[in-house]
Amino acid sequence: MTQRTFSIIKPDAVRKGYTGAILAEIEKAGFKIVSIKKASISKEQAKGFYYVHAQRPFFEDLCTFMSSGPLFLMVLEKDNAIADLRTLMGATNPANAEEGTIRKQFAGSIQENAIHGSDGEDTAAFEIGYWFAGCELI
Ligand code: ATP
Ligand code: MG
């Protein structure tokens, strides 16, 4: 069934000039880009987005990193989009990521790991609504 997921090309990948290469991987894998926008987010906005991680030791550093430079916010669509994007991304720590995955190719560390993807239907709905208005998703 056609499904939507939310993704971010993170500031590390944008800084390194990998945006186009990552978008090419995403399109090659069959995703339709429903919406995409460049943004520079505040640390407070990052904290609201990653609120589920608020108690984790890496939370402050993660939110500082996510607000350290421009990123690309995206809504992607395909059959089984949520799980398929997670597969295409690879493991959180690029050292453990499968060959050919986006994180294996473009991530530098467990924190600066190039891309975000929603991990379930509920989180996809929350994350799309956090960054996009309905009128941006037609
Ligand atoms: P994302 O939610 O960004 O798609 P993920 O679901 O693979 O990544 P999570 O466990 O949700 O991983 O962690 C969210 C983000 O927090 C990671 O992508 C990474 O940038 C950062 N992170 C996770 N674990 C660590 C860690 N041990 N040290 C530093 N940063 C971390
Ligand atoms: Mg996650």
Side-chain angles (χ1 to χ4, degrees), residues 110-124:
I110 190 167
Q111 176 177 269
E112 303 204 356
N113 61 3
I115 188 166
H116 163 84
S118 307
D119 62 9
E121 282 185 37
D122 292 353
T123 46

Side-chain angles (χ1 to χ4, degrees), residues 10 50 53 58 62 86 89 92 103 110-111 113 116-117:
K10 294 187 181 183
Y50 274 128
H53 295 311
F58 57 79
L62 172 62
R86 300 281 301 183
M89 285 163 42
T92 308
R103 282 171 169 164
I110 190 167
Q111 176 177 269
N113 61 3
H116 163 84

Side-chain angles (χ1 to χ4, degrees), residues 4-7 49 51-53 82 86 116-131:
R4 286 181 175 183
T5 192
F6 172 76
S7 183
F49 173 68
Y51 77 96
V52 292
H53 295 311
I82 295 171
R86 300 281 301 183
H116 163 84
S118 307
D119 62 9
E121 282 185 37
D122 292 353
T123 46
F126 164 75
E127 292 174 358
I128 291 169
Y130 190 83
W131 296 113

Side-chain angles (χ1 to χ4, degrees), residues 4-64:
R4 286 181 175 183
T5 192
F6 172 76
S7 183
I8 300 176
I9 300 177
K10 294 187 181 183
D12 59 314
V14 176
R15 259 194 295 274
K16 292 173 184 163
Y18 293 152
T19 303
I22 292 173
L23 287 174
E25 293 287 334
I26 288 169
E27 287 197 313
K28 204 163 57 182
F31 291 87
K32 178 183 160 204
I33 301 169
V34 176
S35 197
I36 181 168
K37 58 186 177 186
K38 192 176 189 184
S40 294
I41 69 171
S42 69
K43 190 167 177 182
E44 287 308 308
Q45 288 175 317
K47 286 182 174 180
F49 173 68
Y50 274 128
Y51 77 96
V52 292
H53 295 311
Q55 303 309 319
R56 309 284 285 277
F58 57 79
F59 181 66
E60 283 291 325
D61 278 358
L62 172 62
C63 294
T64 299

